[in-house]
Short mmCIF file of all heavy atoms in Angstrom, two decimals:
data_model
loop_
_atom_site.label_atom_id
_atom_site.label_comp_id
_atom_site.label_asym_id
_atom_site.label_seq_id
_atom_site.Cartn_x
_atom_site.Cartn_y
_atom_site.Cartn_z
N GLY A 225 5.06 41.20 14.89
CA GLY A 225 5.33 39.87 15.40
C GLY A 225 6.79 39.55 15.61
O GLY A 225 7.14 38.42 15.95
N VAL A 226 7.69 40.55 15.38
CA VAL A 226 9.13 40.31 15.50
C VAL A 226 9.72 41.26 16.54
O VAL A 226 9.38 42.44 16.59
CB VAL A 226 9.84 40.53 14.15
CG1 VAL A 226 11.35 40.36 14.30
CG2 VAL A 226 9.29 39.56 13.10
N ALA A 227 10.59 40.72 17.38
CA ALA A 227 11.28 41.52 18.40
C ALA A 227 12.78 41.32 18.29
O ALA A 227 13.25 40.28 17.80
CB ALA A 227 10.79 41.15 19.80
N SER A 228 13.53 42.31 18.77
CA SER A 228 14.99 42.25 18.64
C SER A 228 15.64 43.01 19.79
O SER A 228 15.09 43.98 20.30
CB SER A 228 15.41 42.85 17.30
OG SER A 228 16.80 42.79 17.11
N VAL A 229 16.82 42.55 20.17
CA VAL A 229 17.63 43.26 21.16
C VAL A 229 19.04 43.37 20.59
O VAL A 229 19.55 42.43 19.99
CB VAL A 229 17.64 42.54 22.52
CG1 VAL A 229 18.08 41.10 22.39
CG2 VAL A 229 18.52 43.28 23.52
N ALA A 230 19.68 44.54 20.76
CA ALA A 230 21.00 44.78 20.18
C ALA A 230 21.91 45.48 21.18
O ALA A 230 21.44 46.19 22.08
CB ALA A 230 20.89 45.61 18.90
N ALA A 231 23.21 45.30 20.99
CA ALA A 231 24.21 45.95 21.83
C ALA A 231 25.36 46.44 20.95
O ALA A 231 25.64 45.85 19.91
CB ALA A 231 24.72 44.99 22.90
N PRO A 232 26.04 47.51 21.37
CA PRO A 232 27.10 48.11 20.54
C PRO A 232 28.42 47.37 20.61
O PRO A 232 28.77 46.77 21.63
CB PRO A 232 27.25 49.52 21.12
CG PRO A 232 26.90 49.34 22.57
CD PRO A 232 25.82 48.30 22.60
N ILE A 233 29.16 47.44 19.51
CA ILE A 233 30.53 46.93 19.44
C ILE A 233 31.46 48.13 19.29
O ILE A 233 31.23 48.99 18.44
CB ILE A 233 30.71 45.98 18.24
CG1 ILE A 233 29.82 44.75 18.40
CG2 ILE A 233 32.17 45.56 18.10
CD1 ILE A 233 29.77 43.89 17.16
N HIS A 234 32.49 48.19 20.13
CA HIS A 234 33.45 49.29 20.07
C HIS A 234 34.80 48.79 19.56
O HIS A 234 35.17 47.64 19.80
CB HIS A 234 33.63 49.92 21.44
CG HIS A 234 32.39 50.57 21.97
ND1 HIS A 234 31.38 49.85 22.60
CD2 HIS A 234 32.00 51.87 21.97
CE1 HIS A 234 30.42 50.69 22.96
NE2 HIS A 234 30.77 51.91 22.59
N ASP A 235 35.52 49.69 18.88
CA ASP A 235 36.85 49.32 18.40
C ASP A 235 37.92 49.72 19.42
O ASP A 235 37.60 50.16 20.53
CB ASP A 235 37.12 49.92 17.02
CG ASP A 235 37.15 51.44 17.04
OD1 ASP A 235 37.20 52.04 18.14
OD2 ASP A 235 37.12 52.05 15.95
N ARG A 236 39.17 49.59 19.03
CA ARG A 236 40.28 49.87 19.95
C ARG A 236 40.34 51.33 20.37
O ARG A 236 40.95 51.67 21.37
CB ARG A 236 41.61 49.46 19.30
CG ARG A 236 41.93 50.16 18.00
CD ARG A 236 43.24 49.65 17.39
NE ARG A 236 43.16 48.22 17.11
CZ ARG A 236 42.67 47.71 15.98
NH1 ARG A 236 42.19 48.53 15.04
NH2 ARG A 236 42.65 46.42 15.79
N ARG A 237 39.66 52.21 19.58
CA ARG A 237 39.62 53.62 19.95
C ARG A 237 38.39 53.94 20.80
O ARG A 237 38.10 55.10 21.05
CB ARG A 237 39.60 54.47 18.68
CG ARG A 237 40.85 54.34 17.81
CD ARG A 237 40.60 54.82 16.39
NE ARG A 237 39.63 53.97 15.71
CZ ARG A 237 39.18 54.18 14.48
NH1 ARG A 237 39.61 55.22 13.81
NH2 ARG A 237 38.31 53.36 13.93
N ARG A 238 37.67 52.89 21.17
CA ARG A 238 36.43 52.98 21.94
C ARG A 238 35.32 53.69 21.16
O ARG A 238 34.40 54.24 21.74
CB ARG A 238 36.67 53.73 23.27
CG ARG A 238 37.74 53.12 24.15
CD ARG A 238 37.41 51.71 24.61
NE ARG A 238 36.27 51.69 25.51
CZ ARG A 238 36.36 51.89 26.83
NH1 ARG A 238 37.55 52.10 27.38
NH2 ARG A 238 35.29 51.84 27.59
N MET A 239 35.43 53.64 19.84
CA MET A 239 34.41 54.21 18.97
C MET A 239 33.44 53.11 18.54
O MET A 239 33.84 51.96 18.37
CB MET A 239 35.04 54.84 17.73
CG MET A 239 35.95 56.03 18.03
SD MET A 239 35.04 57.41 18.73
CE MET A 239 34.04 57.90 17.31
N PRO A 240 32.15 53.44 18.36
CA PRO A 240 31.18 52.43 17.93
C PRO A 240 31.45 52.00 16.50
O PRO A 240 31.42 52.82 15.58
CB PRO A 240 29.83 53.16 18.06
CG PRO A 240 30.18 54.61 17.95
CD PRO A 240 31.53 54.76 18.56
N LEU A 241 31.72 50.73 16.32
CA LEU A 241 32.05 50.20 14.99
C LEU A 241 30.85 49.51 14.36
O LEU A 241 30.72 49.45 13.15
CB LEU A 241 33.22 49.23 15.10
CG LEU A 241 33.78 48.63 13.83
CD1 LEU A 241 34.23 49.73 12.87
CD2 LEU A 241 34.94 47.70 14.14
N GLY A 242 29.97 48.97 15.18
CA GLY A 242 28.80 48.25 14.69
C GLY A 242 27.96 47.80 15.86
O GLY A 242 28.12 48.28 16.99
N ALA A 243 27.06 46.88 15.60
CA ALA A 243 26.18 46.37 16.66
C ALA A 243 25.78 44.93 16.35
O ALA A 243 25.76 44.52 15.19
CB ALA A 243 24.94 47.24 16.80
N ILE A 244 25.46 44.19 17.40
CA ILE A 244 25.02 42.80 17.28
C ILE A 244 23.59 42.71 17.81
O ILE A 244 23.26 43.35 18.82
CB ILE A 244 25.92 41.85 18.07
CG1 ILE A 244 27.25 41.63 17.32
CG2 ILE A 244 25.26 40.50 18.32
CD1 ILE A 244 28.23 40.74 18.06
N ALA A 245 22.77 41.95 17.12
CA ALA A 245 21.37 41.80 17.55
C ALA A 245 20.91 40.36 17.46
O ALA A 245 21.36 39.61 16.59
CB ALA A 245 20.45 42.68 16.71
N VAL A 246 20.02 40.00 18.36
CA VAL A 246 19.29 38.74 18.28
C VAL A 246 17.85 39.09 17.92
O VAL A 246 17.26 40.00 18.52
CB VAL A 246 19.33 37.98 19.62
CG1 VAL A 246 18.22 36.94 19.69
CG2 VAL A 246 20.67 37.29 19.80
N THR A 247 17.31 38.40 16.94
CA THR A 247 15.97 38.71 16.45
C THR A 247 15.15 37.43 16.34
O THR A 247 15.66 36.40 15.90
CB THR A 247 16.05 39.37 15.06
OG1 THR A 247 16.81 40.58 15.16
CG2 THR A 247 14.67 39.71 14.53
N GLY A 248 13.89 37.53 16.75
CA GLY A 248 13.01 36.36 16.65
C GLY A 248 11.56 36.73 16.87
O GLY A 248 11.22 37.91 17.08
N ALA A 249 10.70 35.73 16.84
CA ALA A 249 9.27 35.94 17.07
C ALA A 249 9.03 36.47 18.48
O ALA A 249 9.71 36.07 19.43
CB ALA A 249 8.51 34.64 16.86
N VAL A 250 8.09 37.39 18.61
CA VAL A 250 7.80 38.01 19.90
C VAL A 250 7.53 36.97 20.98
O VAL A 250 8.02 37.09 22.11
CB VAL A 250 6.60 38.97 19.77
CG1 VAL A 250 6.15 39.44 21.15
CG2 VAL A 250 6.95 40.15 18.91
N GLU A 251 6.80 35.92 20.64
CA GLU A 251 6.44 34.93 21.65
C GLU A 251 7.64 34.15 22.17
O GLU A 251 7.59 33.59 23.28
CB GLU A 251 5.38 33.96 21.12
CG GLU A 251 5.78 33.19 19.87
CD GLU A 251 5.36 33.87 18.60
OE1 GLU A 251 5.14 35.11 18.61
OE2 GLU A 251 5.24 33.17 17.57
N ARG A 252 8.73 34.12 21.42
CA ARG A 252 9.93 33.43 21.87
C ARG A 252 10.92 34.37 22.56
O ARG A 252 11.61 34.00 23.50
CB ARG A 252 10.64 32.74 20.70
CG ARG A 252 9.86 31.63 20.03
CD ARG A 252 10.77 30.79 19.14
NE ARG A 252 11.50 31.61 18.18
CZ ARG A 252 11.10 31.87 16.94
NH1 ARG A 252 9.95 31.38 16.51
NH2 ARG A 252 11.84 32.61 16.13
N VAL A 253 11.00 35.60 22.04
CA VAL A 253 12.01 36.54 22.51
C VAL A 253 11.54 37.35 23.72
O VAL A 253 12.36 37.82 24.52
CB VAL A 253 12.40 37.50 21.35
CG1 VAL A 253 13.36 38.57 21.81
CG2 VAL A 253 13.01 36.71 20.20
N CYS A 254 10.23 37.47 23.87
CA CYS A 254 9.67 38.28 24.96
C CYS A 254 8.87 37.44 25.96
O CYS A 254 8.36 36.37 25.63
CB CYS A 254 8.77 39.38 24.41
SG CYS A 254 9.62 40.58 23.36
N VAL A 255 8.77 37.97 27.16
CA VAL A 255 7.92 37.40 28.21
C VAL A 255 7.12 38.55 28.81
O VAL A 255 7.70 39.55 29.26
CB VAL A 255 8.75 36.70 29.31
CG1 VAL A 255 7.83 36.24 30.44
CG2 VAL A 255 9.53 35.54 28.74
N ASP A 256 5.80 38.43 28.79
CA ASP A 256 4.92 39.48 29.31
C ASP A 256 5.22 40.85 28.68
O ASP A 256 5.23 41.89 29.36
CB ASP A 256 5.04 39.58 30.84
CG ASP A 256 4.57 38.31 31.53
OD1 ASP A 256 3.65 37.64 30.99
OD2 ASP A 256 5.13 37.97 32.58
#
Side-chain angles (χ1 to χ4, degrees):
V226 177
S228 181
V229 55
I233 297 170
H234 296 82
D235 64 13
R236 59 183 60 87
R237 297 161 295 177
R238 303 297 294 274
M239 296 295 292
L241 184 58
I244 284 178
V246 161
T247 301
V250 171
E251 58 268 22
R252 296 194 307 267
V253 175
C254 297
V255 175
D256 297 328

